[in-house]
Structures are given as C-alpha cells and as structure tokens.
Amino acid sequence: TAGITQAPTSQILAAGRSMTLRCTQDMRHNAMYWYRQDLGLGLRLIHYSNTAGTTGKGEVPDGYSVSRANTDDFPLTLASAVPSQTSVYFCASSAQGFNEQFFGPGTRLTVL
Amino acid sequence: TQLLEQSPQFLSIQEGENLTVYCNSSSVFSSLQWYRQEPGEGPVLLVTVVTGGEVKKLKRLTFQFGDARKDSSLHITAAQPGDTGLYLCAGEGSARQLTFGSGTQLTVLP
C-alpha cells in the first residue's frame, strides 16, 4: 500500500509565482492535514480537513489555501509565494476516531 | 495556543549510554504522542499515552505521561546508532488536533 504520496519531492519557486502541492492517500482516511516544518519550530499546522467537502484553518494559514473535493486528495495552494514560505511541507491523514497521523514523505519548497 | 517545549534540542551520545528527552507544557492534553523522524521522511508514530501517570515500554524506549497530563518523557536505555533521529512529541487538544513540540535531534555515535 502506498499510504500517502506527495508531489513534487522538491521545488524551487520564484517569489510571486503560484504553486500547488499535491497530496493523495489510499487509506480512505477521513481527516487530512498540511504542516510546515522549519528548523527549531517543529511541525506547524497550516490547514486541515475532517472530511471530504470541509476544511479548516490551522495555526499558520495565511498565504495558503486548500480544497477537499474527495476523500483521497488534499492539495495545498500558494497563490503568490514569498520567501518566508520556504520550508518542508508534510501532508498527513488519520482515520475517524483515531488520533494517530500518517505522514507523507514531504515536499521541500524553496522560494527565491 | 497550546505550546509544547522539548528539551534538549540537540543530544549527541555514545552507543550504550542512556538518555531522557522531555516534553513540557502549561496546557492539559487528552493524549500525547511521540514520533520519530528520519532524514528525508515524514514522522512515524512510536507511541500514544492517554492516562495521567501512564508508562509504556517499546523495547529499550520507555514513555511516561505526567500525572497532570501536561508533560511527558522519553527514556532510551543503552542507545544504539539506529536510534538516531528527530524525536517529536505531539499533544492532542480539545479540537482533536495535534500540537507538536520543536523536536529533539538525537545522534548516537558508534
């Protein structure tokens, strides 16, 4: 089983450009999450979705948007990237009623 | 906002030594999880503790949840190079979302 896949693995992006980070899970988990990981700050929640069709804001949502059209996919969009969005982005999912989160391999994004 | 502080931030020890990593907060959590992350990968769950005072063992790793459910510790006995990695604690709050600590980077030297 693939679990969670993320694409691309890494990306260099010019400031002001838009980009969508893709996340797909094959575990039929209800909840999905996007985190960013920065040195010394741990993982910070950007957006989450408890079920298909619903989304919510996490700790650091500004500059990011998400959608959840179906159970499997949870893309993260940066409408106009800024250098402070340089980070490693992780997508995660969890089954309803369980708090264990399963993480993807991450996308390393550099905004110049 | 619930905050989790981990200490130490970095730890480098020799193979065979023991170590303890701490995770502290002023907030109460309904459960606390410990994850391990290796370079280039996402975090992987090691254990979840739910009850105040709970102790769980995973081979040479011992996890404890504080009585007041505000803090936790991870103790590794006779560390091995394979234990090297980033250890993250994460507390589950009222909204069933996780708040992560900043992590402890452990290096075990052979």
Side-chain angles (χ1 to χ4, degrees):
Chain A
T1 308
I4 295 185
T5 58
Q6 292 185 236
T9 301
S10 64
Q11 181 74 46
I12 298 175
L13 187 66
R17 300 295 295 270
S18 66
M19 178 168 185
T20 296
L21 280 61
R22 300 185 297 279
C23 174
T24 300
Q25 54 109 354
D26 63 2
M27 297 175 283
R28 307 302 293 173
H29 285 171
N30 292 92
M32 296 188 74
Y33 313 85
W34 273 105
Y35 294 90
R36 59 177 291 173
Q37 185 174 34
D38 303 288
L39 188 64
L41 295 176
L43 288 155
R44 293 182 291 169
L45 183 66
I46 304 171
H47 285 286
Y48 65 92
S49 170
N50 287 330
T51 189
T54 69
T55 62
K57 294 182 179 180
E59 180 185 355
V60 289
D62 294 343
Y64 306 95
S65 63
V66 292
S67 61
R68 187 87 184 279
N70 57 63
T71 297
D72 298 343
D73 301 300
F74 191 41
L76 176 73
T77 298
L78 288 68
S80 180
V82 294
S84 62
Q85 292 178 309
T86 293
S87 187
V88 182
Y89 291 86
F90 287 98
C91 179
S93 70
S94 64
Q96 187 173 7
F98 294 89
N99 54 18
E100 176 183 4
Q101 294 189 11
F102 294 83
F103 286 81
T107 294
R108 182 175 295 274
L109 178 66
T110 302
V111 182
L112 300 176
Chain B
T1 303
Q2 296 177 306
L3 296 175
L4 274 170
E5 294 186 358
Q6 278 188 246
S7 61
Q9 187 175 1
F10 298 97
L11 188 56
S12 181
I13 61 171
Q14 293 295 135
E15 182 177 2
E17 293 183 353
N18 302 332
L19 67 112
T20 302
V21 176
Y22 299 94
C23 178
N24 296 296
S25 177
S26 58
S27 302
V28 175
F29 293 101
S30 56
S31 70
L32 198 134
Q33 302 176 7
W34 284 92
Y35 289 79
R36 190 173 92 181
Q37 184 179 15
E38 301 195 11
E41 300 181 6
V44 175
L45 182 69
L46 295 173
V47 76
T48 301
V49 284
V50 179
T51 306
E54 182 177 3
V55 177
K56 281 192 174 179
K57 292 191 175 184
L58 185 65
K59 296 184 180 179
R60 293 175 294 99
L61 280 60
T62 302
F63 305 85
Q64 184 163 6
F65 202 11
D67 291 340
R69 290 185 292 136
K70 294 182 178 181
D71 54 83
S72 181
S73 64
L74 158 60
H75 183 79
I76 301 179
T77 303
Q80 299 177 1
D83 295 327
T84 293
L86 179 67
Y87 289 82
L88 296 158
C89 64
E92 181 185 4
S94 57
R96 293 189 60 81
Q97 293 173 13
L98 295 181
T99 297
F100 281 84
S102 56
T104 294
Q105 180 63 52
L106 172 65
T107 302
V108 183
L109 303 170

